[in-house]
């Protein structure tokens, strides 16, 4: 089983500033890692994923996350945020060796971008 | 290609009642997972169905049950509703390890 910790429940930033949303996972077994975004009154949208290969993964809208095995982290970053990035962000992990594909989620980080 | 859809969007029930939530999976996806998202929390895994069989279950009591149909759509049934069952219920379909979520059903138990 996994435990996912999102270290910040709320992150307020000004538009065009850089942002980092922190995520740590618990298990020493191999994992798949995901970031999902949730806009108000909507479901979850997959933002980016790490399955294998390059430890740096990118989304189409400028977010990136780096898988750090030694620190068991998968922090999400964006060099310059927009007001439209305001949303709840969830980090999730899945055990690589499991056929179940169950996702373990963190509690979420509310990113609020101010003009 | 149609995404994951869920119905109804919102639902209000009374404590003790029973409820059925529905999910249509994305085309070609044979696996459906259900999650409960309480207010201010991350989603919690309820169970997963693969080719009409329950494939795994989280820490939820037996009054949470489900079905998957031959077309891979799915139902979540909750009996004897409790106030703490008030939440957003999310359905996700998958073919591999990437899960694609529907918009959710907001259940309020009064």
């Amino acid at each position: 089983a996994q435990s996912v910790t999102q270290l910040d429940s709320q992150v307020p930033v000004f538009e065009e500033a850089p942002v980092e949303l922190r995520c740590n996972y618990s298990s020493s077994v191999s994992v798949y890692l995901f970031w999902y975004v949730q806009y108000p009154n909507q479901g979850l949208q997959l933002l980016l994923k790490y399955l294998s290969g390059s430890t740096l993964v990118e989304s189409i809208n400028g977010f990136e996350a780096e898988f750090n095995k030694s620190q068991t982290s998968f922090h999400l970053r964006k060099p310059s945020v927009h007001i439209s990035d305001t949303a709840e962000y969830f980090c999730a992990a899945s055990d690589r060796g499991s056929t179940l594909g169950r996702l373990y989620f963190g509690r979420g980080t509310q990113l609020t971008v101010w003009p | 290609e149609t995404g994951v859809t869920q119905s109804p969007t919102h639902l209000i029930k009374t404590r003790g009642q029973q409820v059925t939530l529905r999910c249509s999976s994305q085309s070609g996806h044979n696996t459906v997972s259900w999650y409960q998202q309480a207010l201010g929390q991350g989603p919690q895994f309820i169970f997963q169905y693969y080719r009409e069989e329950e494939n795994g279950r989280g820490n939820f009591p037996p009054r949470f049950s489900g079905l998957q149909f031959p077309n891979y759509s799915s139902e979540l049934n909750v009996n004897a509703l409790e106030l703490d069952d008030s939440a957003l219920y999310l359905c996700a379909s998958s073919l591999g390890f990437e899960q694609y979520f529907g918009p959710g059903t907001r259940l309020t138990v009064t």
Side-chain angles (χ1 to χ4, degrees):
Chain A
Q2 292 282 344
S3 176
V4 176
T5 303
Q6 291 184 243
L7 297 165
D8 306 294
S9 60
Q10 298 195 36
V11 174
V13 294
F14 287 108
E15 194 173 20
E16 298 183 6
V19 70
E20 178 180 81
L21 307 183
R22 296 179 292 171
C23 172
N24 288 89
Y25 64 95
S26 65
S27 179
S28 60
V29 301
S30 295
V31 296
Y32 297 124
L33 294 164
F34 306 85
W35 276 99
Y36 284 86
V37 58
Q38 186 175 39
Y39 298 100
N41 300 314
Q42 294 187 26
L44 302 175
Q45 298 176 27
L46 180 63
L47 187 61
L48 47 74
K49 60 184 183 288
Y50 170 76
L51 302 180
S52 64
S54 173
T55 57
L56 184 66
V57 291
E58 299 177 351
S59 73
I60 60 173
N61 58 353
F63 283 95
E64 64 178 31
E66 185 164 17
F67 170 59
N68 188 320
K69 186 176 181 180
S70 63
Q71 298 188 6
T72 60
S73 68
F74 190 56
H75 301 333
L76 182 68
R77 301 183 181 94
K78 189 171 186 180
S80 176
V81 294
H82 303 287
I83 290 178
S84 60
D85 293 325
T86 295
E88 187 93 25
Y89 291 79
F90 291 95
C91 181
S94 178
D95 289 333
R96 182 185 291 267
S98 169
T99 59
L100 181 56
R102 167 183 178 170
L103 289 173
Y104 297 84
F105 284 89
R107 293 172 63 107
T109 298
Q110 173 64 45
L111 173 64
T112 302
V113 182
W114 298 99
Chain B
E1 183 178 282
T2 306
V4 180
T5 60
Q6 292 185 244
S7 62
T9 304
H10 296 89
L11 203 53
I12 300 175
K13 289 287 189 178
T14 303
R15 189 171 49 186
Q17 286 187 317
Q18 178 266 341
V19 68
T20 298
L21 310 182
R22 295 178 175 84
C23 170
S24 292
S25 60
Q26 189 163 319
S27 177
H29 288 187
N30 56 16
T31 302
V32 172
S33 303
W34 286 92
Y35 293 81
Q36 181 196 64
Q37 185 181 12
L39 199 62
Q41 304 292 322
Q44 298 292 317
F45 176 76
I46 303 175
F47 45 57
Q48 183 182 87
Y49 278 83
Y50 171 69
R51 294 188 175 181
E52 304 179 56
E53 297 288 332
E54 187 178 294
N55 189 41
R57 189 177 185 91
N59 190 26
F60 281 82
R63 59 189 184 83
F64 285 78
S65 63
L67 282 172
Q68 189 179 30
F69 300 99
N71 66 354
Y72 302 135
S73 65
S74 176
E75 287 183 354
L76 164 65
N77 299 289
V78 187
N79 294 320
L81 283 167
E82 301 177 359
L83 296 179
D84 285 348
D85 296 333
S86 294
L88 181 68
Y89 287 85
L90 296 164
C91 163
S93 76
S94 56
L95 189 58
F97 282 95
E98 297 179 36
Q99 296 191 19
Y100 294 88
F101 285 81
T105 294
R106 174 76 61 187
L107 173 64
T108 302
V109 182
T110 62

